[in-house]
Amino acid sequence: MLRLDGAVATEMVLHRMAAAMTGPGLAPSVTCRLDGPTGLAVLDFGGGGGGVAERDGWVLASDLRLDRADDPPDVALLAAFHRHGADFPDHLRGDFAVALWRREAGELWLGRDFIGVRPLAWTYQPGRWFAFASLPKGLHGAGLASAAIDRGAVGAKVVQTYFSGPDSGFADIAYLEAGHSLCVRPHDDLRPCPYRAFRVSPAQVGRWRGTPAQAAETLQQLVREAVAARMPATGPVACHLTGGLDSSAITVLAARHARHGEGKVLALTILAPTPMGPPEQDERPMIVDVLAQEADIVHCKVDDILPMPGHIGDPDWPGSMIGGPDDEMMAAAAAFGADRILSGVGGDEGASYNGANLYLSLLKTGRLKILSRELAARAKSDGVSLPRAIRGRLIGPLLPARLRRGRRTGVADPVHGAIRYLSAALRPAAMSRRMSPVLHSNGPADRVRAFADHHIPSRCTYYALLAARHGLAASFPLLDRRVVDFVLSLPVHFFLADGQARQPFRRAMRGILPERVRLARHKLGLFDDRFVRYARHRTELLAMAARLSASASAPPADMFDLEAIQAGLRLLPEPDQALHVVRSRPGELVAGNPAWVSGFAIQSLIVAAASWPHADGSEPA
């Protein structure tokens, strides 16, 4: 923290912040350094001896992992700052949240990596203090900021799952956005203004010149290096593992790397209790293939715990509750002895780019020869006629939404989307805080925005908060800056080949992924099974909503429309009909699908129940 009232910083406050950020059963070492108005502290959960450093008149506190760093981390950090000033976060390669203080200059600088892998939250109390912490509870839990929720931010989270930009969900607390720096001076009267350091010019997107084979070879090497850079020198590591391309690739590469150091890899999988849908979309056989290929991987299956209202609210992530399957995976990783977890987050937007209407993009950019070849290959791959492939892949996206078969709807749709469950008073604020839609044109600005201005930084923050609760760090190899820069450099037509999308990643994974995984077109998620299980709780959920509506301690009426939530819950069928609904109405986001409409109602009820205790800044019951 930095005192703004002329007082000196004290260790007592730093230790209070550290205690608020330490999960049950954890005992990190805490290193403090006081320098006049500034106090810096680092919690080390890994026993690596990391702490606050002093060098060349600077005091540095950091949560830092650098790629290919020849110099010690603090030396590399200071060198980047001296060379690039406020732009230094754009010139450090790795995962980091850092603070630099120099009394002579009277400046405190903060910086965060380009994609937000390491979290950094701050609060500004004019004339009193500026304080920051890796976790929001390090601020409100130490009495340095209020725990009152930010209604507009929480409303936007209901609509889009993650927070937008600097939103933390707390009215007094903001995140330093990914790829930003921030300078604070004790005698400035103005609110600190973050500076955007990370910039990718859209003019540089799609400029790579080479063959598809060269692109696949380069991408494979970059992904190998990204995984290797995140592996511990010794000891175990945990990985998320679904049946998809991204997490499977990371798990396999981690296992192969670990063997050189006699390490172990724990693969963590959330599985629905009941397989849903057609067998060719079930991810279980794909996971089995990965584990059979890399036989020394230790596998841990985590049951898909059904999120229900009434659990303890998360003090770092307003509107969520502690104890879900993601939390269980982090606990299993810690019990295995891992100090980090690797995840495939970001693949869809980058390394294994899934795009939006890629065939239409080929048409619009005049790549007619490639379009003709790929439509024919796609028809063969899908087992359909060429005219049907053309209708589905090319003509369908050109039709007005009302004419499309199985018309998709957005979460902001006022009739079928999640926003219907917010109060009329909150909807404008929620929509004003909502992220701008991306990946509709595959254009350069769209592709850059998908990394820098959409859900990925908030999603990374979410996993970092979960991991920190168990003394772990989360890392995302497919969001390695080298991987991101290379994929952004690829022209759009490289993402379709051999009758399949998500190229050249599929080609790059030859010899790494089992063929069933590498070539799979689809896999089912978890929600179809959740819908069936939620149907068994229909009466209980309706009763919860009614109790909440009648509660004397209910939140302000300007947050949720509980009558609409109850109407959405009534769309849940009787338990014996739920499986029939799923199989007759595929569980995609289409207008009127009861599985999705009622699902939004359930999620809104969960957020409402978790938000109530914090609505006025009080502590949770």
Side-chain angles (χ1 to χ4, degrees):
M1 68 179 302
L2 172 63
R3 300 290 309 215
L4 306 176
D5 55 3
V8 296
T10 65
E11 278 199 12
M12 179 184 68
V13 176
L14 296 177
H15 281 287
R16 201 163 68 226
M17 298 171 76
M21 291 197 294
T22 302
L26 300 177
S29 63
V30 180
T31 307
C32 299
R33 176 71 167 85
L34 302 177
D35 189 11
T38 301
L40 299 176
V42 171
L43 289 74
D44 177 16
F45 292 89
V52 183
E54 295 185 54
R55 184 174 291 275
D56 300 331
W58 290 83
V59 183
L60 301 90
S62 62
D63 178 13
L64 178 67
R65 184 206 60 80
L66 295 181
D67 300 323
R68 294 179 173 176
D70 296 327
D71 297 320
D74 56 331
V75 174
L77 171 58
L78 271 181
F81 181 80
H82 289 317
R83 193 173 299 123
H84 303 287
D87 285 311
F88 80 91
D90 195 35
H91 298 274
L92 278 176
R93 298 293 186 261
D95 309 334
F96 58 87
V98 299
L100 304 90
W101 162 253
R102 190 176 187 185
R103 176 186 276 182
E104 288 182 10
E107 291 181 342
L108 173 69
W109 284 89
L110 305 183
R112 194 174 177 200
D113 63 74
F114 89 104
I115 209 65
V117 174
R118 301 291 166 94
L120 187 55
W122 59 278
T123 187
Y124 173 62
Q125 308 292 327
R128 302 172 71 195
W129 57 70
F130 172 88
F132 60 93
S134 291
L135 313 179
K137 64 188 176 192
L139 299 172
H140 69 72
L144 299 173
S146 167
I149 66 170
D150 178 342
R151 294 183 180 88
V154 171
K157 176 179 174 288
V158 169
V159 173
Q160 64 192 12
T161 305
Y162 296 101
F163 288 114
S164 302
D167 288 347
S168 71
F170 296 102
D172 267 4
I173 300 171
Y175 283 114
L176 180 62
E177 290 188 72
H180 282 62
S181 63
L182 178 64
C183 181
V184 187
R185 299 177 179 89
H187 304 296
D188 283 356
D189 295 327
L190 299 177
R191 180 180 175 83
C193 183
Y195 168 80
R196 181 161 201 158
F198 167 63
R199 296 183 185 88
V200 173
S201 170
Q204 300 303 311
V205 175
R207 306 291 292 177
W208 193 78
R209 296 294 178 263
T211 67
Q214 290 169 335
E217 182 180 357
T218 301
L219 183 56
Q220 183 188 107
Q221 183 60 33
L222 290 175
V223 172
R224 285 182 183 275
E225 291 175 1
V227 172
R230 287 157 176 79
M231 294 291 290
T234 59
V237 68
C239 298
H240 286 151
L241 176 61
T242 70
L245 288 170
D246 302 327
S247 64
S248 297
I250 291 167
T251 301
V252 169
L253 290 173
R256 294 180 180 181
H257 187 278
R259 289 180 199 124
H260 299 300
E262 298 183 356
K264 278 288 187 181
V265 169
L266 174 69
L268 295 156
T269 301
I270 301 174
L271 285 177
T274 307
M276 294 280 134
E280 65 273 14
Q281 294 185 23
D282 186 1
E283 65 183 351
R284 287 169 172 78
M286 302 178 199
I287 293 169
V288 167
D289 283 1
V290 170
L291 298 173
Q293 177 181 289
E294 311 295 329
D296 56 348
I297 291 176
V298 179
H299 190 221
C300 175
K301 293 180 283 188
V302 174
D303 286 340
D304 180 31
I305 301 166
L306 196 65
M308 291 284 284
H311 293 173
I312 298 172
D314 190 329
D316 284 318
W317 195 255
S320 293
M321 297 185 175
I322 293 175
D326 287 321
D327 202 47
E328 291 291 314
M329 286 199 294
M330 298 298 179
F336 189 68
D339 66 355
R340 68 198 71 185
I341 185 164
L342 307 187
S343 172
V345 165
D348 281 357
E349 294 76 18
S352 60
Y353 185 71
N354 207 21
N357 301 324
L358 288 167
Y359 295 89
L360 185 58
S361 292
L362 294 181
L363 177 65
K364 290 181 175 180
T365 56
R367 303 274 182 178
L368 301 183
K369 185 175 180 180
I370 297 175
L371 174 62
S372 176
R373 181 189 71 213
E374 287 305 317
L375 280 170
R378 189 63 187 240
K380 182 178 180 181
S381 174
D382 289 348
V384 301
S385 67
L386 180 58
R388 183 174 173 184
I390 293 172
R391 286 196 302 272
R393 302 287 173 181
L394 196 59
I395 296 176
L398 290 170
L399 294 175
R402 67 180 184 279
L403 298 179
R404 296 178 198 165
R405 183 179 180 184
R407 178 172 67 87
R408 293 179 66 82
T409 186
V411 290
D413 184 304
V415 177
H416 303 294
I419 198 169
R420 70 185 292 195
Y421 303 120
L422 299 180
S423 69
L426 186 58
R427 290 178 192 179
M431 291 303 292
S432 71
R433 306 281 278 275
R434 186 172 171 245
M435 303 170 197
S436 299
V438 296
L439 294 183
H440 287 298
S441 70
N442 302 297
D446 259 3
R447 290 172 59 189
V448 172
R449 196 161 60 246
F451 285 104
D453 299 311
H454 213 249
H455 77 283
I456 290 180
S458 185
R459 192 177 177 193
C460 290
T461 298
Y462 170 71
Y463 280 120
L465 300 179
L466 287 177
R469 188 178 299 150
H470 301 278
L472 308 174
S475 198
F476 312 95
L478 299 187
L479 292 173
D480 186 285
R481 181 66 184 273
R482 295 162 293 182
V483 174
V484 170
D485 285 348
F486 177 70
V487 173
L488 285 174
S489 78
L490 295 177
V492 169
H493 65 274
F494 272 50
F495 299 122
L496 287 171
D498 306 328
Q500 289 188 306
R502 304 186 76 171
Q503 301 281 14
F505 191 80
R506 290 186 193 272
R507 286 180 171 176
M509 292 299 107
R510 286 174 178 160
I512 295 174
L513 289 178
E515 287 297 276
R516 174 159 36 189
V517 178
R518 191 178 74 85
L519 300 177
R521 296 196 301 272
H522 307 285
K523 71 179 181 69
L524 287 174
L526 296 168
F527 192 77
D528 284 348
D529 178 72
R530 285 187 181 180
F531 174 70
V532 174
R533 289 188 287 151
Y534 273 129
R536 300 171 192 154
H537 293 275
R538 182 178 186 273
T539 302
E540 181 183 352
L541 289 165
L542 282 166
M544 287 181 179
R547 285 198 302 271
L548 207 55
S549 183
S551 171
S553 62
D558 65 352
M559 289 191 68
F560 292 91
D561 185 337
L562 283 165
E563 289 186 4
I565 290 176
Q566 290 177 75
L569 295 174
R570 292 188 191 102
L571 293 174
L572 284 167
E574 294 300 323
D576 59 351
Q577 294 297 312
L579 191 58
H580 170 73
V581 171
V582 166
R583 290 178 174 168
S584 62
R585 303 285 300 274
E588 59 178 358
L589 191 57
V590 296
N593 188 326
W596 280 97
V597 176
S598 63
F600 291 143
I602 294 164
Q603 296 307 312
S604 299
L605 179 61
I606 290 171
V607 174
S611 301
W612 262 223
H614 296 282
D616 61 357
S618 63
E619 290 298 312

